[in-house]
């Protein structure tokens, strides 16, 4: 229980309208998009400017209250589930201003609660481009994206969120503002703390203002779909495209199980008999796009694609991407509970990973559809189940364990983009090493001696 | 008592079966008009579902708190239309409101309004007819353009809203029962004006009658018909709702007609979808009657365009008065009717149709929502008003009388020079 007098202190900082105390209000912050046990926060506080944010953090630290910062709460790893020990949720959606868009120097400065898609739209209005586009961008925040190092469909060519963070300032646990990076393209002043902050999941500091790199948008693009009767061939096609030195902006994969669900939902005429499809888009200068599209087509055919459909116009392109966009909705409708995982392997290991996922599905008698970013080796095996069925859910947990074991054995990683949070912390040592954990723990202890900043995330304990 | 408890338990189970589909992805935040004003998770679907997941326990802890949280929703359906998981959100909220109300018993005031007045059409009509004669004493003119009035004396009850007065003579009082045979169209409709067109926007009701006459559509408008029941249902008062549905069903089952047509997306959605859905415990005979009636329900815009084939030809008119169209939630998200009213507006060469930003964003009325959360409702409506004003339109049109009330209030409060008209009125002007 947070005492009434401490609640009053928070109210004095942010105003009583920005401190949520009632049970229904607090419960609404007890979960995120991960399928995990909810924990109701003791208090929810919403600062509306930097000064308030700093004061709130200091107040939490002084009173030994664990802080979990929350953007939109769309992370899939339990990163915003508050601590059981009277955890306080600090919202960033009161800090949602785009402070500057600099068209000359190609950067922008934003507060952490700015919604990703709204930012991308504002930038686009000025003829510029912010490439990171997580599937949750309509609601996810820049702060959450940085803290999770979110990726998107364009990751292959354009990189992920951290590649766009030129600098940021953040509050340390004492509420002091720490600055790192700059508005210049190059900056080697001191440690690369911005790099450290990306994917830190709220455990090392709380972002205040973030400087983001912008780029000119590509002038043209071309999209196509390739159909395969064998997953290996799809994977060979990915390798052959990359080794032909073409980097598509998007190279997406969907297996047969996913295809069947998407087709059942959209009735778009997808090749449900195919073992897999690849959806590819190349972009850039019109001449380059034409050349690259031709190379990609050749690679696809040579690798044994049974058909390649090139979108003739914007409408056809839209239809192709519609299939990809509908992968999650289609799978989500098939069964009550959707467990979306994030296994990532070197690109060449995609067939081995897909085969293993299919074996695991059989072994545990579960429906699993797989789609994902083939170009990055980042797969999203999606388990369809009903969390109310305890026996089935136990099998799901075992299957997930198994999937990660396989990903690691294939020299892959636990998370391509969804972060570790609480959901995957138990595997950290397996992927890295005890020494890595110890090094990280030492750093965390030095930065946050009372373990106030989002405890229990990334490193269990 | 135990029968009631069994019923409650069954409803809770149904609720649970529907809620389990929510994967807490949070995508509903992107479209919820209430969330975009308050930015609180408890005001968006995901937060409400989290609360409802513990409904049984929460009712014991804090039933009022649950009710308050549930009432902070417009039932606009935007989240449902955008939900990747296809969660039947409106359905969940309606059921939850019913459960909470059954648990708490309705407040005496609500009971009086919903059961005593809306549930008793004769008394309701009489009181409104009576009230219309005296309303000028209590109210003063607010805006000529929107025809609104205000009532400072009533501010403690109705806020500072600007409202359209009740018509001197309601449609049913003026025409009694209308019963005309099908003309050249060969079609006869049961005309369901809905409470607002019957009692407030009678011009709009008459525009519908004019359109039917022009197209040789036979009309049956039984003077005795009652409210469709949606206000009671969305307030969670299933008893009052059942009373209205049963009352109307008995009347409607008697007539011969091809379609039931209403100038209100909410009435049509209710008859078409809710009547069959929330009548599973009615006698089998009643259910059969309802199925038959529901199958004939159609929005008037859709009826004119898709059944009668009214469609503009050639270029859209340019250079006339500017009109912009607001998509009512029940019409677009509920019934998928969006192009038809625009087609009807384009039939009127005096107008040039200009689209506003976020045309399908809720206006903030939400039936009883505006009564309980007027400040929030005004904020949401204010955004709609700004979008209307930005187009420079002289007229804002819509397909739902409840939205018309809200739009009139918002524009009137700002002293805007913009009229509010139903799409049927604009079309009727051409005949
Ligand atoms: C439908 C759906 C699709 C998705 N698609 C993708 C995808 O394509 N790619 C991808 O990478 N992810 C995806 N995700 C996961 C998720 O959207 C991302 O992780 C996103 O970056 C989270 O942003 P958020 O604002 O919701 O952050 P939250 O979930 O609120 O927070 C995430 C983490 O960031 C921390 N945090 C938030 N703000 C701050 C701050 N100001 N300072 C310090 N720490 C902070 C939190 O404490 C938490 O640990 C998807 C999720 C869903 C539900
Ligand atoms: S969009 Fe649908 S599935 Fe996602 S949180 Fe909202 S209601 Fe649940
Ligand atoms: S129905 Fe409308 S107001 Fe209610 S939660 Fe959904 S989007 Fe929000």
């Amino acid at each position: 229980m947070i005492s009434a007098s401490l609640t009053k202190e928070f109210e004095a900082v942010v105003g009583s309208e920005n401190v949520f105390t009632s049970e229904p209000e607090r419960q609404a912050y007890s979960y995120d998009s991960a399928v995990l046990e909810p924990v109701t926060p003791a208090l929810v506080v919403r600062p509306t400017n930097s000064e308030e944010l700093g004061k709130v953090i200091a107040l939490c630290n002084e009173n030994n209250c664990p802080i979990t910062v929350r953007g939109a709460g769309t992370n899939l790893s339990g990163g915003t589930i508050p601590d059981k020990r009277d955890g306080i949720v600090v919202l960033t959606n009161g800090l949602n201003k785009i402070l500057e868009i600099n068209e000359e120097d190609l950067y922008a400065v934003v507060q952490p609660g700015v919604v990703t898609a709204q930012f991308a739209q504002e930038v686009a209005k000025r003829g510029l481009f912010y490439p990171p586009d997580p599937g949750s961008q309509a609601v996810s925040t820049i702060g959450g994206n940085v803290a999770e190092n979110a990726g998107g469909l364009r990751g292959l060519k354009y990189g992920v969120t951290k590649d766009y963070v030129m600098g940021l300032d953040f509050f340390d646990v004492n509420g002091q503002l720490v600055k790192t990076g700059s508005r210049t393209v190059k900056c080697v002043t001191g440690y690369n703390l911005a790099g450290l902050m990306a994917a830190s999941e709220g455990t090392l500091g709380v972002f205040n203002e973030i400087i983001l790199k912008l780029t000119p948008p590509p002038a043209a693009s071309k999209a196509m779909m390739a159909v395969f009767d064998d997953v290996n061939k799809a994977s060979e096609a990915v390798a052959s495209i990359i080794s032909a030195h073409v980097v598509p902006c998007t190279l997406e994969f969907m297996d047969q199980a996913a295809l069947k669900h998407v087709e059942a939902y959209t009735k778009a005429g997808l090749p449900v008999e195919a073992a897999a499809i690849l959806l590819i888009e190349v972009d850039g200068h019109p001449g380059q796009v034409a050349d690259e599209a031709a190379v990609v087509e050749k690679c696809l055919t040579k690798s044994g694609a049974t058909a390649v459909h090139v979108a003739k116009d914007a409408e056809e392109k839209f239809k192709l991407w519609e299939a990809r966009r509908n992968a999650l909705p289609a799978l989500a409708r098939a069964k009550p509970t959707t467990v979306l995982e994030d296994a990532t392997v070197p690109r060449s290991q995609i067939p081995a990973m897909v085969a293993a996922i299919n074996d695991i599905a059989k072994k545990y008698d579960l429906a699993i559809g797989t789609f994902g970013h083939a170009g990055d080796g980042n797969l999203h095996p999606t388990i369809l189940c009903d969390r109310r069925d305890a026996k089935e859910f136990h099998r799901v947990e075992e299957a997930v364990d198994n999937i990660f074991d396989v990903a690691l054995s294939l020299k892959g990683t636990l998370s391509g983009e969804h972060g570790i949070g609480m959901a995957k912390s138990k595997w950290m040592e397996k992927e890295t090493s005890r020494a890595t954990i110890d090094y990280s723990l030492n750093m965390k202890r030095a930065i946050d001696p009372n373990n106030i900043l989002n405890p229990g995330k990334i490193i269990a304990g | 008592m135990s029968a009631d408890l069994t019923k409650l338990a069954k409803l809770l189970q149904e609720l649970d079966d529907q809620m389990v589909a929510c994967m807490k992805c949070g995508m509903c935040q992107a479209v919820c008009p209430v969330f975009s004003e308050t930015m609180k998770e408890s005001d968006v679907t995901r937060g409400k579902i989290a609360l409802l997941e513990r409904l049984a326990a929460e009712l014991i802890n804090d039933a009022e708190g649950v009710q308050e949280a549930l009432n902070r929703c417009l039932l606009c359906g935007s989240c449902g239309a955008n939900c990747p998981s296809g969660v039947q959100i409106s359905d969940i909220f309606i059921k939850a409101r019913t459960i909470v109300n059954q648990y708490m018993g309705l407040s005496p005031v609500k009971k009086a309004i919903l059961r005593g007045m809306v549930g008793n059409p004769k008394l309701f009509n009489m009181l409104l007819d009576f009230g219309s004669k005296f309303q000028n004493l209590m109210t003063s003119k607010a805006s000529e353009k929107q025809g609104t009035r205000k009532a400072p004396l009533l501010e403690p009850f109705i806020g500072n809203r600007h409202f359209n007065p009740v018509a001197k003579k309601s449609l049913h009082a003026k025409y009694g029962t209308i019963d005309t045979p099908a003309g050249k169209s060969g079609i006869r409709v049961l005309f369901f004006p809905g409470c607002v067109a019957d009692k407030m926007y009678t011009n709009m009701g008459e525009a519908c009658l004019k359109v039917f006459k022009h197209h040789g559509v036979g009309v049956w408008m039984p003077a005795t018909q009652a409210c469709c029941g949606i206000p009671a249902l969305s307030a969670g008062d299933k008893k009052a709702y059942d009373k209205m549905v049963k009352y109307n069903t008995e009347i409607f089952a008697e007539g011969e007609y091809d379609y039931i047509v209403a100038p209100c997306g909410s009435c049509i959605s209710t008859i078409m979808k809710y009547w069959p859905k929330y009548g599973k415990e009615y006698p089998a005979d009643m259910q059969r009657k309802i199925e038959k009636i529901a199958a004939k329900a159609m929005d008037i815009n859709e009826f004119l365009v898709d059944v009668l084939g009214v469609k503009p030809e050639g270029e859209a008119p340019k250079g006339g008065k500017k009109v912009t169209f607001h998509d009512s939630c029940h019409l677009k998200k509920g019934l998928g009717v969006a192009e038809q009213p625009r087609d009807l507006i384009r039939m009127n060469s005096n107008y040039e149709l200009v689209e506003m930003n976020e045309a399908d964003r809720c206006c903030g009325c939400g039936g009883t929502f505006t009564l309980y959360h007027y400040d929030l409702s005004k904020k949401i409506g204010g955004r709609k008003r700004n979008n209307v004003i930005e187009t420079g339109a002289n007229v804002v049109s819509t397909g739902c009388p409840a939205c018309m009330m809200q739009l009139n209030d918002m524009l009137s409060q700002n002293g805007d020079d913009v009229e509010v008209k139903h799409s049927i009125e604009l079309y009727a002007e051409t005949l």
Side-chain angles (χ1 to χ4, degrees), chain A residues 96-133:
Chain A
N96 58 0
K97 289 192 195 68
I98 299 174
L99 301 168
E100 183 184 355
I101 296 181
N102 193 313
E103 297 172 48
E104 208 175 7
D105 291 327
L106 296 183
Y107 71 80
V109 185
V110 302
Q111 290 187 319
V114 167
V115 171
T116 315
Q118 284 173 9
F119 173 64
Q121 274 159 22
E122 282 307 313
V123 165
K125 275 189 204 156
R126 291 163 172 80
L128 293 171
F129 186 33
Y130 176 70
D133 59 342

Side-chain angles (χ1 to χ4, degrees), chain A residues 51-361:
Chain A
E51 204 191 338
E52 289 178 6
L53 179 60
K55 283 187 182 161
V56 165
I57 292 161
L59 203 51
C60 287
N61 193 35
E62 282 158 23
N63 290 281
N64 223 355
C65 301
I67 308 172
T68 297
V69 187
R70 183 177 174 107
T74 67
N75 76 89
L76 292 153
S77 48
T80 40
I81 295 184
D83 196 60
K84 285 201 173 105
R85 198 169 36 104
D86 276 352
I88 291 190
V89 165
V90 176
L91 302 180
T92 62
N93 67 8
L95 296 153
N96 58 0
K97 289 192 195 68
I98 299 174
L99 301 168
E100 183 184 355
I101 296 181
N102 193 313
E103 297 172 48
E104 208 175 7
D105 291 327
L106 296 183
Y107 71 80
V109 185
V110 302
Q111 290 187 319
V114 167
V115 171
T116 315
Q118 284 173 9
F119 173 64
Q121 274 159 22
E122 282 307 313
V123 165
K125 275 189 204 156
R126 291 163 172 80
L128 293 171
F129 186 33
Y130 176 70
D133 59 342
S136 53
Q137 61 174 335
V139 295
S140 73
T141 65
I142 296 289
N145 292 170
V146 176
E148 296 283 343
N149 191 14
L153 292 185
R154 303 188 188 110
L156 180 56
K157 176 167 175 179
Y158 291 101
V160 293
T161 304
K162 80 167 160 42
D163 300 312
Y164 292 84
V165 180
M166 295 166 71
L168 49 83
D169 52 28
F170 62 89
F171 286 105
D172 72 7
V173 75
N174 300 309
Q176 305 290 324
L177 201 58
V178 180
K179 296 187 180 193
T180 175
S182 85
R183 285 166 165 75
T184 57
V185 177
K186 292 153 99 181
C187 169
V188 284
T189 309
Y191 292 131
N192 180 7
L193 296 181
L196 178 64
M197 284 293 147
S200 64
E201 302 189 20
T203 60
L204 300 178
V206 180
F207 312 148
N208 175 50
E209 288 179 14
I210 301 162
I211 308 169
L212 294 168
K213 182 165 80 181
L214 304 174
T215 71
S221 66
K222 213 169 184 75
M224 62 191 90
M225 171 172 79
V227 184
F228 295 89
D229 55 11
D230 176 349
V231 182
N232 281 306
K233 289 181 188 162
S235 179
E236 272 162 32
V238 174
S240 89
I241 292 167
I242 306 286
S243 52
H245 294 184
V246 172
V247 185
C249 63
T250 312
L251 210 179
E252 293 288 304
F253 169 87
M254 217 184 276
D255 78 351
Q256 192 179 44
L259 269 172
K260 280 195 171 139
H261 285 291
V262 175
E263 182 56 22
Y265 171 48
T266 60
K267 311 223 165 19
L270 292 172
V272 285
E273 294 312 318
I277 61 166
L278 292 177
L279 287 159
I280 304 146
E281 181 162 328
V282 288
D283 72 355
H285 189 271
Q288 175 199 354
V289 167
D291 290 351
E292 290 191 348
V295 175
V296 170
E297 251 190 282
K298 218 185 253 162
C299 294
L300 291 168
T301 322
K302 249 173 71 190
S303 312
T306 53
V308 179
H309 305 283
V310 182
K312 282 194 277 304
D313 49 30
E315 198 180 326
E316 276 197 30
K317 188 164 110 183
F318 181 83
K319 276 194 190 146
L320 279 187
W321 288 117
E322 195 67 354
R324 171 60 182 85
R325 271 191 290 271
N326 279 315
L328 180 58
L331 290 164
R333 276 158 215 253
K335 285 270 250 162
T337 309
T338 315
V339 179
L340 179 73
E341 277 311 342
D342 185 28
T344 305
V345 291
R347 287 180 280 242
S348 61
Q349 301 298 334
I350 289 178
M353 191 71 227
V354 172
I357 292 169
N358 287 336
D359 289 345
I360 292 168

Side-chain angles (χ1 to χ4, degrees), chain B residues 170-241:
Chain B
S170 65
L171 220 53
H172 78 270
K174 193 163 170 191
Y175 293 94
T177 292
I178 300 177
D179 194 351
T180 59
K184 64 177 183 235
S185 71
I187 296 172
R188 189 170 127 98
V189 298
L190 163 52
F191 180 48
F192 190 89
C195 302
V196 187
D198 183 44
K199 295 171 177 58
M200 188 180 279
Y201 300 129
T202 45
N203 282 350
M204 192 258 277
E206 293 190 82
C208 297
L209 295 173
K210 180 177 172 191
V211 169
F212 293 137
K213 192 163 179 198
H214 174 82
H215 287 283
V217 173
V219 175
W220 181 43
M221 184 182 83
T224 48
Q225 61 184 317
C227 164
C228 67
I230 185 79
L233 185 67
S234 50
D237 187 353
K238 185 75 169 32
K239 262 196 192 138
Y241 166 80

Side-chain angles (χ1 to χ4, degrees), chain A residues 26-44:
Chain A
R26 286 184 291 117
Q27 259 182 26
Y29 298 96
S30 62
Y31 56 83
D32 50 34
S33 305
V35 189
L36 291 171
E37 268 306 299
V39 177
T40 303
L43 208 64
V44 180

Side-chain angles (χ1 to χ4, degrees), chain A residues 25 27 33 46 70 72, chain B residues 24 39-41 46 58:
Chain A
E25 282 175 325
Q27 259 182 26
S33 305
R46 171 160 60 194
R70 183 177 174 107
Chain B
K24 306 277 174 10
M39 304 281 262
K40 284 165 86 162
E41 286 264 15
R46 179 166 77 154
E58 285 307 323

Side-chain angles (χ1 to χ4, degrees), chain B residues 31-34 43-45 48 72-80 89-90 93:
Chain B
V31 291
C32 175
V34 180
D43 282 339
V44 77
T45 321
K48 291 196 170 64
R72 292 170 72 86
C73 164
L74 292 147
L75 290 179
C76 69
S78 307
C79 51
I89 297 164
S90 302
F93 289 165

